[in-house]
Amino acid sequence: MGSDESGGRAADRVSVQPMDGGFGLRIDDRIERRRCEIRTNDSVEPAPADADAFRSPVDTAVSVTTDGLTFDEVSRGFVHGPDGPADIEYFRTTSFGPGEYVLELSGPVKIYATVRGPMEVDAQVAKLEISFERPQTVRIGARSYHERPAATVTTTDDPTDVMAAVSTFGSALKTTSSERSYPTLRGHPPAIERGDELSVPSGLTPPAEDVHVEVPERLRDVLVVAPLAYYLGAPVRPGPEPRLIVDGQSYGLDGAAGFETAVEHTLKRTFFLDCIVRTAGPRTVPLYERRVIEDRLDIPVSDRYGQSNADRLTAYMDVPYEAIAEYIPTWKLSARVEPKSESLETLPFLVNDLSVIRSPSTPTTTSTSPSPFEGGPDGTRTDSHDTNSTVQPEQADSLEQAWVGDGAPMGASKALPAAFRNRLDRDRRDGPIEIVVVCNDDQMLEERNVVEQVYGSRKELPMDVTVYEGLNTQRLRLLLESDVDFFHYIGHVDDEGLECPDGKVDAATLDDVSLDIFFLNACRSYQQGRHLIENGAIGGVVTLDDVINSGAVRIGKTLAKLLNYGFPLRSGLNIARDRSIVGSQYLVIGDGNADIAQVEPGVALLTAVDSTPDGYDLTVSTYPTSEGGMGTQFRPAIPGVDEVYLCPGTLPTFEVTAEEIREYFSTSVFPVLLDGEFTWSDRATVSDAE
């Protein structure tokens, strides 16, 4: 195994230890802070195994001798055997005959297990049981989902140099086949830093030799096409007008709808049709979107699988966008990026999310007086534009919005390059997830009491929760500079810092912020949150203006539950905002993908249940997580539902009985809108129809 900048050898990122009593294995991702368990019927002693013996890459491998395995929190699985891969389906027991098999399981970490048949596979929502006729030696490999740029490209501000830098993004793709639509087969684009001359490390050649993108030599145009060039594995070259060149054939990217819309539609069309075509491969998947869209396509899906990048793309470009638009999954992220050199360092991280990138038009700018964004007690300012203005970015057709530029955005997250760099530099951590709650406001004890009960309430996920009241300045400074996974502050903040009984702590004066994620539930906490990011934190939730206590408590309680459940900051706050009239004053700063816990079913869910005369309508909305980006598939744990659906987005509504809902609610704990009222699946009650 080679070295890894995020924490030494790759094997050190993932550890495998026997569970208490030896009845199974505990697998810990020490970078992403993920955990999964594999239980056995009898005590086992894991022995080191050859990680290179697996066909797919793994970070570490062990072998055990057992007559059965039980995997918890598996969201998706395949059995690869002599007859090809077979999908593991919920609520079904499947028998496999003699032969060599590889189990491929998606969960908090990626798991592969090499076994021998005969065997039985019993798949339930909360667990997957594998039974053998007699004890055998099983090799188990595990891989972290942690991704980081493989290299750093230095570029000047000249648009042609930026084109060369963006052209390297596609080198991160692990394939240019339709399977690139799986998030695990798209590597992280190289990082970008600004310098006096262009410098591209060797080995970053874009893989698409017969596809390229042309745009005029304008920074704005290069930024907009960056996600498309990455997904296509294509270089970006100067040209008189925006266009896509596929095997010598030209497709304009500046039609009636405009340049940015044309690029967005080309990216979404290509990605979506790749998701459809990949189902014709050896992994037969009953994809809902393929069933409803295939008859509308003039391109036989089965004929496109295995074709070259250029041949597939040529066929895709003949498909009218309007014919497929309603079935394209809801896009995860749209970003408004100011076309300036300061935006370049953030670009690879937006592209890694397949974000749609647009330039701001003329956002509304509102001066704030008195300013909530002033610097430290000496009156210094860290960003002259951010100190006295908010911006109102145009809303986009996506679950989440991000802003890269001057000002504090309303209704979007504020992406900062320092946050992404800090995440890449995250060190390995062992032990439980460390959560600290500080309540320095007696009027918000209700929030303190609730979050103390919420954090650490998941029995399968160890968390060490510490709660302080009335913490003084010295202890708060030490806390902010310590290795804490999540910091939840309840109290008051002003331009001088976070309030304590004996004074204030200005985050700008901290030497080194080692905590990862924070929630500053206080008035006007934006600038203090920004200082935390600049000094080492990854992401957080802050406020732009004054918030009334009752509204802040409601937001705090809801967001705490969503984060504990596994929602990332950005999507969690989007839901929590709707729970309070002061929700518009909250925003995410830094890396909006940051989270504090893994989500149980693999993707984050919000389920709406509405009463009908004959029963209930059940509608599931899926949200992306660090394990499940664009291209993830999801099958709801509803009896009788055999199809899988692309994430994120809202699934079709299912007509269900009260008993089916109760069974669905028992699978895990997730947020529910029950006849419009916000609650949780372990608290929701439904009645049988009369």
Side-chain angles (χ1 to χ4, degrees):
M1 287 292 209
S3 63
D4 180 271
E5 295 177 22
S6 64
R9 289 169 54 85
D12 294 336
R13 297 185 298 187
V14 178
S15 68
V16 181
Q17 301 293 332
M19 292 173 57
D20 293 341
F23 287 83
L25 305 174
R26 187 185 72 242
I27 302 176
D28 288 292
D29 181 340
R30 301 154 79 188
I31 301 293
E32 291 296 319
R33 306 291 274 160
R34 298 293 190 256
R35 168 176 289 193
C36 66
E37 295 179 346
I38 305 173
R39 289 178 280 118
T40 56
N41 297 329
D42 45 15
S43 181
V44 295
E45 285 288 341
D50 182 7
D52 294 331
F54 289 83
R55 293 182 180 179
S56 300
V58 298
D59 292 323
T60 191
V62 299
S63 64
V64 296
T65 300
T66 182
D67 63 357
L69 303 165
T70 299
F71 299 87
D72 293 325
E73 295 191 40
V74 173
S75 61
R76 187 79 179 142
F78 294 91
V79 177
H80 300 268
D83 298 325
D87 187 20
I88 297 176
E89 301 185 18
Y90 290 147
F91 314 115
R92 192 167 299 177
T93 300
T94 307
S95 297
F96 294 86
E100 296 286 335
Y101 297 90
V102 175
L103 308 177
E104 177 190 351
L105 306 176
S106 297
V109 298
K110 190 75 172 181
I111 296 175
Y112 299 90
T114 302
V115 300
R116 296 189 308 276
M119 66 178 180
E120 281 194 348
V121 177
D122 181 24
Q124 302 299 319
V125 175
K127 63 182 180 180
L128 177 71
E129 294 184 344
I130 315 294
S131 301
F132 309 117
E133 289 187 347
R134 60 184 60 86
Q136 63 170 272
T137 299
V138 177
R139 288 188 297 113
I140 298 172
R143 184 179 76 238
S144 169
Y145 291 107
H146 181 73
E147 288 277 5
R148 61 174 295 116
T152 298
V153 176
T154 302
T155 179
T156 70
D157 299 340
D158 184 274
T160 56
D161 286 346
V162 178
M163 288 183 192
V166 169
S167 295
T168 68
F169 285 0
S171 65
L173 294 178
K174 299 172 185 178
T175 179
T176 57
S177 72
S178 58
E179 276 86 355
R180 64 187 169 189
S181 54
Y182 286 114
T184 54
L185 294 180
R186 299 189 299 268
H188 199 298
I192 287 181
E193 66 179 23
R194 294 158 58 204
D196 295 330
E197 61 181 7
L198 177 68
S199 177
V200 178
S202 61
L204 301 184
T205 304
E209 298 179 352
D210 44 10
V211 178
H212 72 270
V213 179
E214 292 183 4
V215 290
E217 296 176 47
R218 294 190 295 260
L219 183 58
R220 169 244 186 183
D221 293 22
V222 183
L223 296 176
V224 169
V225 299
L228 176 62
Y230 163 68
Y231 187 75
L232 297 180
V236 181
R237 301 171 184 169
E241 59 187 18
R243 59 179 185 164
L244 175 65
I245 308 298
V246 183
D247 203 15
Q249 187 170 349
S250 176
Y251 299 91
L253 293 176
D254 200 8
F259 164 59
E260 293 179 341
T261 299
V263 172
E264 175 183 348
H265 287 183
T266 303
L267 173 62
K268 290 183 175 181
R269 179 198 293 115
T270 306
F271 168 82
F272 177 64
L273 293 177
D274 269 352
C275 290
I276 302 297
V277 168
R278 77 189 186 194
T279 65
R283 296 183 179 185
T284 303
V285 175
L287 186 68
Y288 162 80
E289 286 81 1
R290 176 177 176 177
R291 176 175 64 80
V292 298
I293 202 69
E294 189 166 12
D295 289 343
R296 301 188 182 192
L297 302 176
D298 292 331
I299 53 173
V301 171
S302 58
D303 292 348
R304 298 303 169 193
Y305 185 81
Q307 285 190 326
S308 70
N309 185 22
D311 287 343
R312 290 196 327 279
L313 188 54
T314 299
Y316 294 169
M317 294 302 290
D318 290 334
V319 176
Y321 184 79
E322 296 73 18
I324 60 174
E326 65 177 299
Y327 299 104
I328 294 175
T330 305
W331 217 248
K332 174 185 176 181
L333 180 64
S334 295
R336 297 283 177 177
V337 181
E338 288 191 339
K340 51 195 295 187
S341 56
E342 290 82 357
S343 302
L344 293 178
E345 290 185 51
T346 308
L347 187 61
F349 303 96
L350 299 175
V351 167
N352 189 53
D353 270 337
L354 281 191
S355 173
V356 169
I357 294 179
R358 290 176 176 261
S359 292
S361 53
T362 308
T364 302
T365 302
T366 306
S367 296
T368 55
S369 179
S371 170
F373 308 127
E374 293 186 7
D378 61 353
T380 58
R381 300 177 177 223
T382 59
D383 185 327
S384 61
H385 298 284
D386 257 11
T387 53
N388 58 5
S389 66
T390 58
V391 292
Q392 185 73 60
E394 304 93 326
Q395 291 302 295
D397 184 20
S398 61
L399 281 176
E400 304 167 5
Q401 284 82 41
W403 172 261
V404 181
D406 297 329
M410 302 282 289
S413 64
K414 170 79 171 184
L416 294 171
F420 301 107
R421 292 195 298 267
N422 296 339
R423 180 161 194 164
L424 295 179
D425 293 337
R426 173 188 277 180
D427 293 326
R428 298 187 306 271
R429 291 182 183 173
D430 294 312
I433 296 170
E434 298 284 343
I435 296 178
V436 174
V437 180
V438 173
C439 182
N440 279 0
D441 182 358
D442 292 340
Q443 297 183 36
M444 299 183 75
L445 288 177
E446 178 186 355
E447 178 181 344
R448 171 242 186 260
N449 294 335
V450 170
V451 301
E452 183 180 14
Q453 298 172 5
V454 169
Y455 295 134
S457 60
R458 293 173 56 180
K459 296 180 180 179
E460 82 285 359
L461 192 61
M463 294 184 180
D464 187 356
V465 182
T466 307
V467 179
Y468 299 98
E469 292 182 28
L471 203 64
N472 63 31
T473 54
Q474 180 182 9
R475 295 185 68 190
L476 181 57
R477 290 184 68 91
L478 290 173
L479 175 63
L480 294 174
E481 294 177 344
S482 63
D483 288 334
V484 172
D485 293 285
F486 181 63
F487 170 65
H488 186 145
Y489 175 81
I490 306 166
H492 297 281
V493 172
D494 61 21
D495 55 341
E496 295 180 352
L498 283 70
E499 188 173 287
C500 298
D502 61 337
K504 296 171 183 176
V505 174
D506 183 1
T509 65
L510 297 172
D511 293 329
D512 181 25
V513 174
S514 297
L515 65 87
D516 287 343
I517 305 169
F518 57 86
F519 178 20
L520 303 184
N521 199 8
C523 297
R524 302 172 180 250
S525 60
Y526 171 87
Q527 193 62 39
Q528 289 299 309
R530 178 158 186 159
H531 291 322
L532 289 176
I533 297 290
E534 291 167 343
N535 286 332
I538 295 172
V541 175
V542 295
T543 60
L544 290 171
D545 210 333
D546 293 336
V547 289
I548 58 175
N549 270 2
S550 60
V553 169
R554 180 179 288 268
I555 288 281
K557 293 190 298 185
T558 304
L559 185 59
K561 292 179 180 179
L562 292 168
L563 294 176
N564 188 73
Y565 162 68
F567 270 92
L569 290 177
R570 202 159 42 212
S571 53
L573 182 59
N574 284 347
I575 296 174
R577 277 196 188 110
D578 295 336
R579 299 280 293 133
S580 173
I581 59 174
V582 300
S584 62
Q585 293 299 327
Y586 287 79
L587 78 154
V588 171
I589 187 168
D591 182 356
N593 289 327
D595 57 31
I596 67 171
Q598 64 201 46
V599 66
E600 287 185 22
V603 296
L605 307 176
L606 174 63
T607 298
V609 177
D610 297 297
S611 302
T612 68
D614 300 320
Y616 293 90
D617 284 343
L618 187 152
T619 307
V620 179
S621 296
T622 61
Y623 292 79
T625 64
S626 58
E627 292 90 0
M630 292 296 303
T632 298
Q633 298 170 162
F634 170 73
R635 176 183 293 158
I638 303 171
V641 177
D642 294 327
E643 291 182 310
V644 298
Y645 300 81
L646 294 174
C647 303
T650 299
L651 278 58
T653 297
F654 303 101
E655 296 180 2
V656 294
T657 65
E659 179 58 32
E660 288 171 331
I661 290 179
R662 286 192 286 267
E663 184 176 350
Y664 178 58
F665 283 174
S666 70
T667 59
S668 63
V669 178
F670 49 84
V672 175
L673 290 172
L674 183 57
D675 286 325
E677 293 294 321
F678 187 88
T679 184
W680 290 81
S681 57
D682 60 340
R683 298 184 178 184
T685 302
V686 294
S687 303
D688 294 308
E690 298 181 359

